[in-house]
């Protein structure tokens, strides 16, 4: 069961294919914690070049997927979220633990560390089968779309 399906996610996030990296939100505790899922398929565009014959999801895209899930947690706090856009403002303590390959289900858990009026700091863990694949502290600034 989903808290948000892909259509609802697209109502919150400005990202679109091929850069939308979250398929559904399965858990949500407003202002505290959010869990999303990305199904990793062989059809992902990045697998064409990373790496032919040995496809691996780039670690930086795992961090981006965590940031997108975190952006959902942040943007849902704004009633006028359609006029807002989240900008990455920092990544700290990023670590990449194991490869993510086609067929994996990437679980993306993000916990709020600090929520301000426009600046958010969160900690994210990407996992496959309960094992951490990537982790980082991520920060974003929510600005106005122009």
């Amino acid at each position: 069961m989903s808290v948000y399906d892909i259509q609802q996610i697209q109502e919150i996030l400005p990202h679109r294919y091929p850069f939308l990296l979250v398929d559904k939100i399965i858990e949500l505790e407003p202002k505290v914690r959010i869990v999303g899922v990305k199904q990793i398929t062989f059809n992902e565009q990045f697998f064409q070049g990373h790496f032919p014959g040995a496809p691996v999801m780039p670690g930086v895209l795992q961090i981006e997927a965590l940031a997108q899930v975190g952006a959902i947690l942040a943007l849902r706090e704004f009633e006028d979220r359609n006029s807002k856009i989240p900008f990455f403002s920092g990544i700290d303590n990023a670590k990449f633990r194991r490869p993510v390959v086609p067929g994996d289900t990437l679980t993306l858990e993000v916990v709020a560390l600090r929520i301000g009026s426009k600046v958010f700091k969160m900690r994210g863990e990407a996992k496959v089968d309960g094992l951490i694949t990537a982790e980082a502290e991520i920060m974003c600034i929510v600005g106005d779309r122009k």
Side-chain angles (χ1 to χ4, degrees), residues 94-105:
K95 292 187 175 50
F96 305 99
R97 305 283 185 193
R98 53 186 32 90
V100 175
V101 299
D104 283 345
T105 298

Side-chain angles (χ1 to χ4, degrees), residues 43-58:
N43 296 327
E44 307 289 348
Q45 284 192 326
F46 48 80
F47 286 141
Q48 292 178 29
H50 198 269
F51 300 101
V56 175
M57 182 180 190

Side-chain angles (χ1 to χ4, degrees), residues 8 22 37 43-45 62 65 85 88 90 93 95 98 100 103 107 109 118 123 130-131 146:
Q8 293 164 313
V22 57
V37 172
N43 296 327
E44 307 289 348
Q45 284 192 326
Q62 293 177 55
I85 189 165
F88 237 141
N93 303 312
K95 292 187 175 50
R98 53 186 32 90
V100 175
T107 303
E109 181 176 356
K118 291 187 178 189
R123 173 156 174 66
L131 300 174
K146 295 190 177 177

